[in-house]
Amino acid sequence: MSKALSALLAEGRLSPLSYHFARFVTQGSGVALDSLLGWSAALVSQCNLRGDVCVDLSCYIDRPLFGSEEESAEVPRGPQLQDWLAELKRCAWVGRPGHLAPLVLDGRRLYLGAYWRYEQQVAQSLLARLAPPFAAFDAAKLRRGLEQLFPSAPTLDWQRVAAALAVSRRFSVLSGGPGTGKTTTVVKVLALLRDQHPSLRIALAAPTGKAAARLTESIQQGRDALPPTLRDAVPTEASTLHRLLGKGFRPHYEHHRNNPLPLDCLVVDEASMVDLPLMAQLLEALPLEARLILLGDREQLASVEAGNVLGDITGHGAPIAYSPSQVKHLEALNAVPKDALKAKPEAPPCADAVALLRISYRFRPDSGIGALAAEINCGQAEEALARLQSESESLGWISAPPEGLEVSCIRWALDHYRHYLRQPDPVSALQAFGRYRVLTALRQGPLGAVAINQLLEARLRAEGWIEAGEEYPGKPIMILVNDYELGLFNGDIGLFWRDEQGQLRAYFQNVSGQVRSFSLRQLPPYETALALTVHKSQGSEFEAVLLVLPREPNALVTRELLYTAITRARREVRIQGGIACFLQGVKRRVHRTSALATHLGW
């Protein structure tokens, strides 16, 4: 007989939230906790916590609902699909599509009610922006602008294609790896848009404060390369998405369907980090006639919370081919040479909105980091490991010791972090600290971010580089929640430093480059940031990265996590880990269950 949900909770196989959600649903429906409804409610909640938007019940037929196959004798198993669907349809708290209920059953997919609505909102909004796809624009003026900013070349220029898409369509996606020119291209897109519509109201945004600051910096640098007549037309200051939507917490932002954002164009960078609920609320607040341009790398990790919106929009790595009408449109704009693109009549409408930037200007094809990233993306695990083990100036592999960090890894971290601790002021210290970082696959455990932060603090203290105590000059921190009053946001990195009066304060650089200081008592919740999880590092760039992987294979180590970690570095990557963990990670892809890609025609 299978164990009760209470026993699974006690053993840590079921989260407290999932257990209490199952209790809530079964009590409201008047059935026993350990019924099929209770198991189903707990399963949906548990899957949502790990990133799934819904549960495809057909994937659990005669399979354990919680835990592995080895534990199947001890946990509930999924019944036959028809029996399962029939039982759920009899429950009052399981709604049909369009009904308000804690759970929604849509075909064979079971959702938390709120997430069914989020998915529908995103799908319907994007489909509405795709039909009709084109915004108002002057074709002759756009042709001249493309020729000015992207001079004709004998080969296909994907940046030119991306610019033509983004200027002429209401919805577009510019996707590409690090150094492929996403920001360079979007700077030119903004110049072309303002050339088309001088009074166009444009906003730039990103999911975190760090990503917004990087976008601001990149736009400012890219603008300097424009012709003087276009330079001043390009906006430069980006905000977080939360700040853009207004004070409050989802779903109660200032801007929504009845109080839309006063915008004609919105550019969102690091779109892979945007989860399904946030994307739903953003699309609800953005007027339907406004342009939406998403920038991001579809190969990166999905958002921390549920959904993989950018992956769903871009077909989860599927080849991008355009419809005959889109190819004809691009040819008419002189964005592509005649017959350079092969049309695909059955291409989904969403594919016509996606431009993939394919050439990295940061990493040469034969460079260490670039080649390693390409091998990981292609699932070439043995080749990637061999490249790491060949030991070059830019790459290195360190086999994991029986416990903790290998001595050379500790030395690597201490040698690099001493640079920022030597700086004379907080401004230069923040700049120096931003060049290097220890990244981890896990948050908890002996090789997780929490433990490694404690280890590095202890070693820096033992060598006399930092003072004793929890609060010390030079302590790097990451903000964990948004504080609208202070203007500090989740993901912002700061440093403790003494001011001219000798008082310890926290210093942060905002999106415009200004460094501000705060009393430590003012700060929202934060954590030490000598080591970050790979998820927390998204939207950042460093000169060098040390990545710490578990010794044994772990389900959290995936191709996307490895690719994201490696491409945070511009110059050097060192990896400590178990060989089996790395090899299985390269071969394991993130899969998040949802129907958004299906709704969009993939």
Side-chain angles (χ1 to χ4, degrees):
M1 183 173 179
S2 60
K3 289 188 176 181
L5 291 180
S6 57
L8 297 176
L9 171 68
E11 294 171 2
R13 299 193 205 179
L14 188 66
S15 72
L17 179 61
S18 299
Y19 173 79
H20 288 291
F21 178 70
R23 283 191 61 187
F24 167 71
V25 171
T26 53
Q27 287 177 354
S29 301
V31 301
L33 175 61
D34 289 300
S35 61
L36 183 56
L37 176 62
W39 297 345
S40 301
L43 176 65
V44 173
S45 175
Q46 193 83 341
C47 289
N48 182 265
L49 290 174
R50 67 175 185 233
D52 292 328
V53 175
C54 60
V55 170
D56 186 338
L57 300 179
S58 65
C59 295
Y60 287 88
I61 297 170
D62 198 31
R63 287 187 54 202
L65 302 183
F66 313 98
S68 65
E69 195 65 47
E70 291 75 21
E71 304 163 323
S72 60
E74 303 178 8
V75 299
R77 298 178 74 91
Q80 292 302 303
L81 184 59
Q82 294 307 314
D83 297 336
W84 203 344
L85 295 176
E87 180 67 25
L88 291 175
K89 287 176 181 177
R90 285 194 286 268
C91 297
W93 280 32
V94 179
R96 303 294 177 87
H99 291 189
L100 288 174
L103 293 169
V104 169
L105 183 63
D106 191 348
R108 66 178 189 272
R109 296 183 177 95
L110 186 62
Y111 293 78
L112 296 175
Y115 279 80
W116 182 88
R117 293 190 294 277
Y118 291 142
E119 187 175 85
Q120 292 296 311
Q121 285 174 335
V122 171
Q124 290 169 10
S125 176
L126 293 180
L127 289 171
R129 294 170 193 277
L130 291 167
F134 299 113
F137 71 100
D138 183 324
K141 186 177 286 188
L142 179 53
R143 280 193 293 269
R144 290 194 298 270
L146 289 172
E147 189 60 39
Q148 180 185 15
L149 298 180
F150 303 91
S152 296
T155 58
L156 194 58
D157 183 350
W158 286 105
Q159 292 189 10
R160 183 167 174 151
V161 172
L165 282 179
V167 174
S168 62
R169 299 182 67 93
R170 290 197 294 168
F171 171 62
S172 57
V173 180
L174 278 60
S175 180
T180 53
K182 294 187 294 293
T183 309
T184 300
T185 304
V186 86
V187 167
K188 297 178 181 180
V189 166
L190 295 174
L192 291 170
L193 283 170
R194 278 279 171 81
D195 186 43
Q196 293 270 333
H197 310 284
S199 60
L200 199 73
R201 297 171 298 174
I202 300 172
L204 311 173
T208 67
K210 181 67 175 178
R214 281 197 56 236
L215 178 60
T216 297
E217 181 182 13
S218 299
I219 293 283
Q220 288 172 342
Q221 292 173 351
R223 192 176 73 158
D224 293 340
L226 291 175
T229 55
L230 297 175
R231 192 175 301 151
D232 292 340
V234 176
T236 59
E237 187 159 336
S239 72
T240 65
L241 288 172
H242 299 282
R243 193 188 321 177
L244 178 76
L245 288 169
K247 293 179 182 177
F249 299 92
R250 61 187 185 196
H252 304 296
Y253 292 113
E254 280 184 15
H255 292 288
H256 44 74
R257 180 182 291 110
N258 298 322
N259 182 31
L261 290 162
L263 295 176
D264 302 309
C265 177
L266 173 62
V267 176
V268 179
D269 196 15
E270 297 291 351
S272 63
M273 299 169 64
V274 182
D275 57 56
L276 181 69
L278 182 55
M279 183 62 78
Q281 285 144 15
L282 179 66
L283 290 172
E284 181 185 275
L286 185 67
L288 188 58
E289 62 275 9
R291 284 175 172 84
L292 174 62
I293 303 171
L294 301 181
L295 309 179
D297 185 348
R298 68 174 182 167
E299 305 296 344
Q300 275 192 192
L301 276 169
S303 54
V304 175
E305 296 190 41
N308 182 8
V309 178
L310 186 65
D312 288 333
I313 292 171
T314 57
H316 296 290
I320 299 297
Y322 298 134
S323 68
S325 62
Q326 178 69 336
V327 171
K328 185 177 179 180
H329 168 71
L330 292 171
E331 289 177 347
L333 292 173
N334 295 333
V336 298
K338 184 74 172 172
D339 300 324
L341 287 178
K342 186 177 180 181
K344 184 178 181 181
E346 66 275 19
C350 209
D352 281 349
V354 179
L356 293 183
L357 304 181
R358 301 150 198 250
I359 299 174
S360 176
Y361 299 94
R362 182 187 306 168
F363 306 127
R364 301 188 316 273
D366 60 344
S367 74
I369 296 175
L372 178 64
E375 287 166 348
I376 288 173
N377 259 347
C378 295
Q380 297 170 345
E382 288 76 14
E383 293 87 341
L385 180 62
R387 185 176 298 277
L388 280 166
Q389 291 177 327
S390 65
E391 284 292 334
S392 67
E393 184 178 334
S394 60
L395 298 174
W397 172 264
I398 302 102
S399 293
E403 59 181 34
L405 282 184
E406 205 268 340
V407 173
S408 65
C409 293
I410 296 175
R411 197 77 262 153
W412 185 98
L414 298 185
D415 288 346
H416 285 88
Y417 285 154
R418 279 202 298 259
H419 288 296
Y420 88 86
L421 292 168
R422 288 193 185 110
Q423 299 303 313
D425 56 71
V427 176
S428 55
L430 279 167
Q431 293 173 346
F433 180 68
R435 297 191 185 112
Y436 314 101
R437 203 58 43 91
V438 177
L439 303 181
T440 67
L442 309 179
R443 174 172 170 77
Q444 301 295 339
L447 293 175
V450 173
I452 291 178
N453 272 309
Q454 293 171 348
L455 169 65
L456 294 179
E457 282 185 317
R459 291 300 299 267
L460 286 168
R461 191 169 289 120
E463 294 191 12
W465 286 98
I466 61 174
E467 299 174 4
E470 284 295 311
E471 299 173 351
Y472 55 85
K475 182 184 180 78
I477 63 169
M478 172 177 273
I479 297 298
L480 300 178
V481 300
N482 296 322
D483 188 315
Y484 294 89
E485 296 299 326
L486 293 180
L488 292 174
F489 297 90
N490 182 21
D492 286 357
I493 297 285
L495 285 177
F496 290 176
W497 210 266
R498 295 200 187 279
D499 63 15
E500 294 178 353
Q501 287 73 43
Q503 296 298 311
L504 198 59
R505 295 180 66 82
Y507 290 81
F508 294 82
Q509 190 170 33
N510 64 17
V511 294
S512 63
Q514 177 189 7
V515 173
R516 300 179 299 152
S517 73
F518 302 87
S519 163
L520 303 194
R521 292 188 297 274
Q522 287 181 281
L523 294 176
Y526 61 83
E527 64 184 7
T528 308
L530 290 165
L532 301 177
T533 63
V534 177
H535 271 101
K536 290 286 190 180
S537 75
Q538 289 190 91
S540 298
E541 282 185 10
F542 310 104
E543 286 294 317
V545 160
L546 170 65
L547 172 62
V548 181
L549 301 177
R551 281 179 291 275
E552 302 300 327
N554 188 292
L556 294 178
V557 179
T558 63
R559 183 181 305 178
E560 291 83 358
L561 181 138
L562 293 169
Y563 170 83
T564 301
I566 287 162
T567 55
R568 296 312 88 205
R570 290 186 289 266
R571 182 175 54 80
E572 176 192 356
V573 173
R574 304 288 170 203
I575 301 180
Q576 174 188 302
I579 288 178
C581 175
F582 179 82
L583 293 175
Q584 290 191 25
V586 174
K587 295 172 182 176
R588 182 187 294 115
R589 299 217 66 166
V590 170
H591 175 72
R592 290 189 167 180
T593 306
S594 86
L596 180 57
T598 303
H599 291 319
L600 297 176
W602 292 102

